Amino acid sequence: MEETVFLTQHQPFVFSQIKKSVKHGRLAHAYLFEGDMGTGKHLLTSWLAKRLFCTEVVDNEPCGRCNNCLRIDAGEHPDVRLIEPEGQSIKVDQIRQLQQEFVRSGFESRLQFFTIRQADKMNASAANSLLKFLEEPQGDFVAVLETDAPGKILPTIQSRCQVLHFAPLNPAELAQRLTADGLTGESAKLLAGLTNSYQKAVEISQDEWFNDAKDAVAQWYLYLRKGDLAAFVYIQKKLTALAKEKEQQRLLLQMLMQAYRKERDELLVQQQNPLLFDNTRKSQLILEAEQKLAANVSFQNVSEQLVLRILQQTVGDD
Ligand SMILES: [Zn+2]
């Protein structure tokens, strides 16, 4: 199953924890799965639901093909329910309806499974209603709350749940996921170097700005590499207009850093050690520029100074 492949590869720790608990019949009533978007929270929920209802479990693995597994995949299993935000929030009626269905099925004492996606979007009355429910459990159930903002979940709810943390993907894993989404390898690698959040990476990649910025930084780097003073003029001519917001300015510097990292990787392959020193020095200069920017020096000042220092460095090489 897709779930098993992903979880084994990217979330071995939480996956083995849940597998052990199911195997030994020690599942908690309620779980809070917390971690960035794209880290596999819902894949584990889906795996767990199938594991609990599958009629052909082999080796602690659901089959993915039996009637129950198929109905769960299609979202049509009567004992597996999903609650998601309606509009901006999850409302108390959604939780109440869930409770009523529980009372009904409770007579048949069947296992019930429910998931609340983006659980941080519960409004106050929904959260309180859920809390009551978790405090006075009726019948046999397993609940999974998923969130990428655990700080917004009531502490009283958190304390009723077993909390499982989904680790962020490492840059290589993230790039792999982004490539699977259809991004070019180059963009995927760049984004994975800018952020370790899948959600953030997708957001940036969908922004038209990203492609403009990518081209602009490639040009900037080319000038710098040639030791061309055009790199200095380019700041005023292009970059300051492109990056008006602080976040964008930060990204431009980070993208430049990525260009030097790529250069470093190439130098390592070619075993060009003398140039490696020079590369490290320039990366250091970019890092210092990022720090100055963070300390509220203007982007133009920071960049112009950076370019002059890099160009000096380049001249010094000859
Ligand atoms: Zn099955």
Side-chain angles (χ1 to χ4, degrees), residues 230-259:
F232 187 84
V233 184
Y234 197 62
I235 296 167
Q236 173 85 290
K237 204 174 105 186
K238 175 84 184 176
L239 300 179
T240 48
L242 181 66
K244 291 206 181 76
E245 286 162 34
K246 189 100 175 184
E247 171 73 7
Q248 296 174 329
Q249 298 167 350
R250 203 175 58 82
L251 279 173
L252 282 192
L253 290 178
Q254 285 187 349
M255 286 160 97
L256 185 66
M257 178 70 106
Q258 288 286 308

Coordinates of all heavy atoms in Angstrom, one line a residue, residues 230-259:
A230 N 28.4 44.5 -13.2 CA 27.0 44.5 -13.5 C 26.2 43.9 -12.3 O 25.0 44.3 -12.1 CB 26.7 43.7 -14.8
A231 N 26.9 43.1 -11.5 CA 26.2 42.5 -10.4 C 25.8 43.6 -9.4 O 24.8 43.4 -8.7 CB 27.2 41.5 -9.7
F232 N 26.6 44.7 -9.4 CA 26.3 45.8 -8.4 C 25.1 46.6 -9.0 O 24.1 46.9 -8.3 CB 27.5 46.7 -8.3 CG 27.4 47.7 -7.3 CD1 27.6 47.5 -6.0 CD2 27.0 49.0 -7.6 CE1 27.5 48.5 -5.0 CE2 26.8 50.0 -6.7 CZ 27.1 49.7 -5.4
V233 N 25.1 46.9 -10.2 CA 24.1 47.7 -10.9 C 22.7 47.0 -10.9 O 21.7 47.5 -10.7 CB 24.5 48.0 -12.3 CG1 23.4 48.9 -13.0 CG2 25.8 48.6 -12.4
Y234 N 22.8 45.6 -11.0 CA 21.7 44.8 -11.1 C 20.8 44.9 -9.8 O 19.6 44.7 -9.9 CB 22.1 43.3 -11.3 CG 21.1 42.4 -11.8 CD1 20.5 42.6 -13.0 CD2 20.7 41.3 -11.0 CE1 19.5 41.7 -13.5 CE2 19.8 40.4 -11.5 CZ 19.2 40.6 -12.7 OH 18.3 39.7 -13.2
I235 N 21.4 45.2 -8.7 CA 20.6 45.3 -7.5 C 19.6 46.4 -7.6 O 18.4 46.2 -7.4 CB 21.5 45.6 -6.3 CG1 22.5 44.4 -6.1 CG2 20.7 45.9 -5.0 CD1 23.6 44.8 -5.1
Q236 N 20.1 47.6 -8.0 CA 19.2 48.7 -8.2 C 18.2 48.5 -9.4 O 17.1 48.9 -9.3 CB 20.1 50.0 -8.4 CG 19.4 51.2 -8.8 CD 18.9 51.9 -7.5 OE1 18.0 51.4 -6.8 NE2 19.5 53.0 -7.2
K237 N 18.8 48.0 -10.4 CA 18.1 47.9 -11.7 C 16.9 46.8 -11.6 O 15.9 47.0 -12.2 CB 19.0 47.5 -12.8 CG 18.6 47.9 -14.2 CD 19.7 47.5 -15.2 CE 19.4 46.3 -16.0 NZ 20.4 45.9 -16.9
K238 N 17.2 45.8 -10.8 CA 16.2 44.6 -10.9 C 15.8 44.2 -9.5 O 14.6 44.1 -9.2 CB 16.9 43.5 -11.7 CG 16.1 42.2 -11.7 CD 15.1 42.2 -12.8 CE 14.3 41.0 -12.8 NZ 13.2 41.0 -13.8
L239 N 16.7 43.9 -8.6 CA 16.4 43.2 -7.4 C 15.6 43.9 -6.4 O 14.6 43.4 -5.8 CB 17.7 42.7 -6.8 CG 18.5 41.7 -7.6 CD1 19.8 41.3 -6.9 CD2 17.7 40.5 -8.1
T240 N 15.9 45.2 -6.2 CA 15.1 46.0 -5.2 C 13.6 46.1 -5.6 O 12.7 46.0 -4.8 CB 15.6 47.4 -5.0 OG1 15.8 48.0 -6.3 CG2 17.0 47.4 -4.3
A241 N 13.4 46.1 -6.9 CA 12.0 46.2 -7.4 C 11.3 44.8 -7.3 O 10.1 44.7 -7.0 CB 11.9 46.7 -8.8
L242 N 12.1 43.8 -7.4 CA 11.5 42.4 -7.4 C 11.2 42.0 -5.9 O 10.2 41.4 -5.7 CB 12.6 41.5 -8.0 CG 12.2 40.0 -8.0 CD1 11.0 39.8 -9.0 CD2 13.4 39.2 -8.5
A243 N 12.1 42.4 -5.0 CA 11.9 42.0 -3.6 C 11.6 43.2 -2.8 O 12.4 43.8 -2.1 CB 13.1 41.3 -3.2
K244 N 10.3 43.6 -2.7 CA 9.9 44.7 -1.9 C 9.7 44.3 -0.4 O 9.9 45.1 0.5 CB 8.6 45.3 -2.5 CG 8.9 46.0 -3.8 CD 7.8 47.1 -4.1 CE 8.0 47.7 -5.4 NZ 7.5 46.9 -6.6
E245 N 9.2 43.1 -0.3 CA 8.9 42.6 1.1 C 10.1 42.0 1.7 O 10.9 41.3 1.0 CB 7.7 41.7 1.1 CG 6.4 42.4 0.9 CD 5.3 41.5 0.5 OE1 5.4 40.3 0.9 OE2 4.5 41.9 -0.3
K246 N 10.2 42.1 3.0 CA 11.4 41.5 3.7 C 11.5 40.0 3.5 O 12.6 39.5 3.2 CB 11.1 41.7 5.2 CG 12.2 41.4 6.1 CD 13.0 42.6 6.5 CE 14.1 42.3 7.4 NZ 14.7 43.5 7.9
E247 N 10.4 39.3 3.5 CA 10.4 37.9 3.3 C 11.0 37.5 1.9 O 11.8 36.6 1.7 CB 9.0 37.3 3.4 CG 8.8 35.9 3.0 CD 9.4 34.9 4.0 OE1 9.8 35.3 5.1 OE2 9.5 33.7 3.7
Q248 N 10.7 38.3 0.9 CA 11.2 38.1 -0.5 C 12.7 38.4 -0.5 O 13.4 37.7 -1.2 CB 10.4 39.0 -1.5 CG 9.0 38.7 -1.6 CD 8.2 39.7 -2.4 OE1 8.6 40.9 -2.5 NE2 7.2 39.2 -3.1
Q249 N 13.1 39.5 0.2 CA 14.5 39.8 0.2 C 15.3 38.7 0.9 O 16.4 38.4 0.4 CB 14.7 41.1 1.0 CG 13.9 42.3 0.4 CD 13.8 43.5 1.3 OE1 14.1 43.5 2.4 NE2 13.3 44.6 0.7
R250 N 14.8 38.2 1.9 CA 15.4 37.0 2.6 C 15.6 35.9 1.6 O 16.6 35.2 1.5 CB 14.6 36.6 3.8 CG 15.4 35.9 4.9 CD 14.4 35.7 6.1 NE 13.2 34.9 5.7 CZ 13.2 33.6 5.7 NH1 14.3 32.9 5.9 NH2 12.1 33.0 5.3
L251 N 14.5 35.6 0.9 CA 14.5 34.5 0.0 C 15.5 34.7 -1.1 O 16.2 33.7 -1.5 CB 13.1 34.3 -0.7 CG 12.1 33.5 0.2 CD1 10.7 33.5 -0.4 CD2 12.6 32.1 0.4
L252 N 15.7 35.9 -1.6 CA 16.7 36.2 -2.7 C 18.1 35.8 -2.2 O 18.8 35.2 -2.9 CB 16.6 37.7 -3.1 CG 15.5 38.1 -4.0 CD1 15.8 39.5 -4.6 CD2 15.3 37.1 -5.2
L253 N 18.4 36.3 -1.0 CA 19.7 35.9 -0.5 C 19.9 34.4 -0.3 O 20.9 33.9 -0.5 CB 19.9 36.7 0.9 CG 20.1 38.2 0.8 CD1 20.3 38.8 2.2 CD2 21.3 38.6 -0.1
Q254 N 18.8 33.8 0.2 CA 18.9 32.4 0.4 C 19.1 31.6 -1.0 O 19.7 30.6 -1.1 CB 17.6 31.8 1.1 CG 17.7 32.2 2.6 CD 16.5 31.5 3.3 OE1 15.6 31.0 2.7 NE2 16.6 31.6 4.6
M255 N 18.4 32.2 -2.0 CA 18.5 31.5 -3.3 C 19.9 31.7 -3.8 O 20.5 30.9 -4.5 CB 17.5 32.1 -4.3 CG 16.1 31.6 -4.0 SD 14.8 32.7 -4.7 CE 14.4 31.8 -6.2
L256 N 20.5 32.9 -3.5 CA 21.9 33.1 -4.0 C 22.8 32.1 -3.2 O 23.7 31.5 -3.8 CB 22.3 34.5 -3.7 CG 23.7 34.9 -4.1 CD1 23.8 34.9 -5.7 CD2 24.2 36.3 -3.6
M257 N 22.5 31.9 -2.0 CA 23.3 30.9 -1.2 C 23.2 29.5 -1.8 O 24.2 28.8 -1.9 CB 22.7 30.9 0.3 CG 23.4 29.9 1.2 SD 25.1 30.4 1.5 CE 24.8 31.0 3.2
Q258 N 22.0 29.2 -2.2 CA 21.8 27.9 -2.9 C 22.7 27.8 -4.1 O 23.2 26.7 -4.4 CB 20.3 27.8 -3.3 CG 19.3 27.6 -2.2 CD 19.4 26.2 -1.7 OE1 19.4 25.2 -2.4 NE2 19.7 26.1 -0.4
A259 N 22.8 28.9 -4.9 CA 23.6 28.8 -6.1 C 25.1 28.5 -5.7 O 25.7 27.7 -6.4 CB 23.6 30.2 -6.8

